[in-house]
Amino acid sequence: MDSGFFSHVVIWVVGGLAAIGGVAAIGALFSLGRNASYKKH
């Protein structure tokens, strides 16, 4: 039960970090693309 709970916590932490990282990466790429397109014009 202890090892199962630990693995569950690890999965949730990794999943949360992956989700936050993915959203941050998409947001950064989107903002960079908008800034680049604005600077071109």
Side-chain angles (χ1 to χ4, degrees), residues 14-41:
V14 171
L17 288 175
I20 293 170
V23 171
I26 291 169
L29 288 172
F30 183 72
S31 63
L32 283 173
R34 286 176 59 101
N35 288 339
S37 65
Y38 284 143
K39 287 176 183 176
K40 282 181 184 176
H41 290 301

Side-chain angles (χ1 to χ4, degrees), residues 1-8:
M1 188 173 178
D2 199 27
S3 61
F5 177 75
F6 182 72
S7 64
H8 221 79

Side-chain angles (χ1 to χ4, degrees), residues 9-25:
V9 171
V10 170
I11 290 170
W12 271 103
V13 170
V14 171
L17 288 175
I20 293 170
V23 171

